[in-house]
Amino acid sequence: MDKFRMIFQFLQSNQESFMNGICGIMALASAQLYSAFDFNCPCLPRYNLAYGLGVLLVPPLILFLLGFVLNNNVSMLAEEWRRPRGRRGKDAAVLRYMFCSMAQRAMIAPAVWVSVTLLDGKCITCAFCTSLPVGALGNASHPGLSQGEVKRVLARIPCKEIYDGQELVANEVAVRYLRCISQALGWCFMLLMTTLAFLVRSLRPCFTQAAFLKSRYWSHYIDIERKLFDETCTEHARSFAKVCIQQFFQGMSTDMEAAHCHLPKKKTTDDGEASEKLLGITDQGTMNTALKSWHRCKPPLHLHPGGPPHGNGWAGEGQPPLRPPPEPPARRKEMAAYYSRV
Amino acid sequence: MDRFRMIFQYFQSNSESVMNGICGLLALASIKIYTCFDFSCPCLPRYNMAYGLGILFVPPIAFFLCGLILNRQSLVMLDEWRRPQGRRRKDLAVIRYMCSSIMQRAMVAPAVWIVVALLDGKCLICAFSSSVDPKKFPGFTNATVEQAQELLAKVPCKEDELVGNSMSRRAVSRYLRCWSQALGWSILLMLIIAAFLARWLRPCFNQAALLQTRHWSNYIDIEQKTFEETCCEHSQLFAHKCILHFFESMQEEIRQHSFDLPKEEEEDLLRGITHQDQVNKLLKTWYYEKPPLDVSQATQRHPLGRERSLPPWAGSPRAQSKFPHASYIGKVK
């Protein structure tokens, strides 16, 4: 009883902790990916904004979608959403719960990317260097430069080695200013995310706890039911295949005997089990024929109800034999199987 | 019974040690993030204070909220606080105890960040370099007020050409760092003394009530976990019955359309589904018409003189239910 409970707790915690583990690995992967990424600002007036904002926003979108792809429950959600109603009603609350829990986990890696990018500062420096307030930081009245040229000079701020606007505004001053703004944005973003997560988590028990318990139960139920159905089908397929192959070998052996007019060998009691397993195929020629027939003419997916099938197993007949109900079997089996102890 | 108790003790101690572990990990994460973080003071008159104090106080708030989010017991406490009274009265002392233990654990990581930032000194140097009295330092006495402000604002930036690495800059920097480290050590000492007093003086006040509240707060936590486990177990059994009932109804339908008799024991595992078409039909029916969530028929099957087959899992240990009722899946004739 206790062992049963422990195993179930492990199964349940295993699935949740498995999903949390994937979520954590993706967050670490996104941080590692950012540090491995070689950021190269183009240092040209219109390209900077596109590049900087692209690096800031496109990878998080990819990571978000990847979070959904790696989540096993996505197909379960899609199936539950699209199935016909049939004899079982659909509960929109359960679908919403499943979607929300998947979306929350998928948002962690993108949030990590955006935070790390903003705290590092290179993206914002690249994207917004042309919008720098030159008046406050440097010499706005520097002569001889039109608006376009000023922008061109400012666009080179991230590329220290080609920057030629030291009289306009010092490179270090500009980089420090932009990085300060970027880091402030990064910390505010992190604070906002943690506040949102905290509110979502703490307001739920105050308002909808009963509905939440219901949705959680039924969403776990759908997952467990799907897994059990797959297991049952696998068991069925295994039995089906076993009987099909047995009938194939039996059919093979019967046909070989009929073709060569051999008398069936009498099984001795000593090696009865072993010769039963040979299924009537006891020489090289027959075995080779059996293997060739398996490749050239697989048996139909139709199991004959008990006893060897009639006719030539090689002809590939596929008609299910419709027989009239034969005489009842010799004795009826009595069995009762209790699912649990009284 | 003893094994049951041992398992519960393990769960209970495990939950505490899990929470302590998370608390420790967050503290280590805060140190790691501080060391990886590239502090770059803007060295501009109004921005310095905002940046310096922002770095000192905003991350601790985020860590505090993280500590609350990652702690499972906060949900349990909220649930206990907001639940309707029903047939079990609420004990505010238990809720207060749980709240205080959650807050204490959540405050470790922010305290670590603040102490490390103060001991390092960069935050305070950046924030308060413009607020220093320029007359105390030789390099700034000759400048006007505005020039002094601008120069002082550039003190945190060593590589700036305006200030350079002059002695006055280093003097201001050392002065501020000294204050910062003194503040850091004082805060650390105060926190440790507060924790020491709280732990030592608590048994002197109302120890019996404390034992009760601690017991009941652990109880609520364990009860919540056990409820979740039981629900999981129940849904597993429910799914078993539902699928079994589905296969049986499929078998029933097939029997009505063909004249095959019940099979021998081995083919019973196939449940009468022996054609490719029958399998396809079963799978299609599973998708298009899932069975209703009602297994009362499966547990009250009216005897009609037909044999039933054992499901493949009936003999395995995981099928043994702990529910003390009997449900037939086979029929005695």
Side-chain angles (χ1 to χ4, degrees), chain A residues 4-5 7-13 15 216-217 220-221 224 228, chain B residues 225-239 323:
Chain A
F4 194 57
R5 189 183 295 183
I7 289 173
F8 267 129
Q9 200 223 9
F10 170 75
L11 279 180
Q12 181 197 8
S13 71
Q15 193 217 10
R216 193 173 63 176
Y217 178 87
H220 283 165
Y221 172 82
I224 287 175
L228 278 177
Chain B
K225 271 202 269 263
T226 310
F227 181 74
E228 282 167 22
E229 278 168 44
T230 311
C231 281
C232 186
E233 205 178 283
H234 184 267
S235 69
Q236 185 105 354
L237 287 172
F238 199 113
F323 295 117

Side-chain angles (χ1 to χ4, degrees), chain B residues 153-267:
Chain B
K154 297 213 187 288
V155 158
C157 301
K158 290 195 200 49
E159 65 279 354
D160 194 277
E161 353 36 66
L162 213 56
V163 185
N165 207 15
S166 65
M167 280 182 41
S168 321
R169 191 205 71 81
R170 279 187 281 160
V172 173
S173 183
R174 270 198 311 267
Y175 173 76
L176 286 169
R177 179 171 283 151
C178 157
W179 270 107
S180 172
Q181 287 178 347
L183 198 58
W185 284 117
S186 314
I187 288 179
L188 189 60
L189 187 65
M190 262 172 24
L191 286 173
I192 292 183
I193 290 177
F196 175 80
L197 286 175
R199 242 172 125 85
W200 272 75
L201 292 183
R202 196 162 52 180
C204 304
F205 297 100
N206 220 348
Q207 179 69 354
L210 175 71
L211 287 175
Q212 283 176 6
T213 49
R214 196 167 65 185
H215 174 268
W216 290 114
S217 87
N218 282 338
Y219 171 80
I220 291 170
D221 193 27
I222 289 174
E223 192 188 47
Q224 176 91 327
K225 271 202 269 263
T226 310
F227 181 74
E228 282 167 22
E229 278 168 44
T230 311
C231 281
C232 186
E233 205 178 283
H234 184 267
S235 69
Q236 185 105 354
L237 287 172
F238 199 113
H240 269 148
K241 288 256 165 72
C242 197
I243 290 170
L244 188 67
H245 185 47
F246 175 74
F247 270 85
E248 281 175 358
S249 63
M250 278 280 111
Q251 190 177 6
E252 195 55 47
E253 224 177 281
I254 287 165
R255 281 209 184 123
Q256 280 169 7
H257 290 129
S258 75
F259 295 101
D260 294 338
L261 268 193
K263 307 295 179 296
E264 294 302 317
E265 190 165 328
E266 178 154 17
E267 276 93 345

Side-chain angles (χ1 to χ4, degrees), chain B residues 270-285:
Chain B
L270 294 169
R271 289 186 196 84
I273 296 165
T274 51
H275 298 181
Q276 185 181 17
D277 298 336
Q278 289 167 356
V279 172
N280 288 342
K281 181 168 189 289
L282 180 139
L283 295 171
K284 202 160 82 166
T285 312

Side-chain angles (χ1 to χ4, degrees), chain A residues 158-177:
Chain A
C159 305
K160 287 191 184 50
E161 59 278 1
I162 57 168
Y163 184 62
D164 54 355
Q166 206 64 12
E167 305 83 35
L168 185 61
V169 60
N171 190 289
E172 297 82 22
V173 171
V175 165
R176 272 198 311 259
Y177 175 80

Side-chain angles (χ1 to χ4, degrees), chain A residues 228-290:
Chain A
L228 278 177
F229 184 74
D230 288 342
E231 266 176 46
T232 313
C233 285
T234 309
E235 290 280 346
H236 186 270
R238 194 170 291 138
S239 310
F240 198 112
K242 191 165 156 197
V243 173
C244 192
I245 290 167
Q246 262 177 356
Q247 288 182 353
F248 171 75
F249 273 99
Q250 279 165 3
M252 190 70 40
S253 130
T254 311
D255 291 336
M256 290 302 295
E257 281 161 18
H260 295 141
C261 301
H262 284 168
L263 289 173
K265 288 191 172 48
K266 290 282 179 285
K267 297 192 213 0
T268 63
T269 49
D270 298 337
D271 54 3
E273 196 183 315
S275 63
E276 251 183 49
K277 284 194 179 155
L278 288 174
L279 297 169
I281 295 176
T282 47
D283 60 281
Q284 187 182 18
T286 318
M287 190 67 218
N288 289 341
T289 316

